Amino acid sequence: MEYYLNHTEEAERIAKNSVRTFRERYLTTAAEACYWRALIRGGQRRALSLEDLKSALMGGQKTRGIRFENFCVSCDSGIGYEMPY
């Protein structure tokens, strides 16, 4: 670290190369779309379906979380989802 503190031009060159590489490889339009798909798929795997939510609520079980869309539907349909906190 001391070396780069004393050789700021070389440290700046390395930093600029790192930023360029990150932008060109990881922040492309295709990469961003891939990140969004992975985020949505991950959320889908962890969310309860509306049928699971109904059966849990009818059985008196506390649910840990539901998809936002299901929450909106449950509020409109009168299911009466109670917040777990």
Side-chain angles (χ1 to χ4, degrees), residues 18-71:
S18 298
V19 167
R20 183 173 38 94
T21 300
F22 185 76
R23 283 185 184 149
E24 290 175 0
R25 290 190 184 174
Y26 302 108
L27 295 179
T28 64
T29 303
E32 186 179 345
C34 184
Y35 299 145
W36 278 109
R37 282 193 302 270
L39 177 68
I40 291 168
R41 286 185 185 139
Q44 287 174 340
R45 283 193 295 267
R46 288 165 183 79
L48 293 174
S49 69
L50 189 55
E51 292 77 26
D52 292 340
L53 174 64
K54 285 179 185 176
S55 65
L57 291 174
M58 295 301 192
Q61 299 173 348
K62 291 280 186 182
T63 55
R64 188 164 184 268
I66 62 169
R67 293 191 323 221
F68 178 73
E69 294 84 359
N70 289 356
F71 175 75

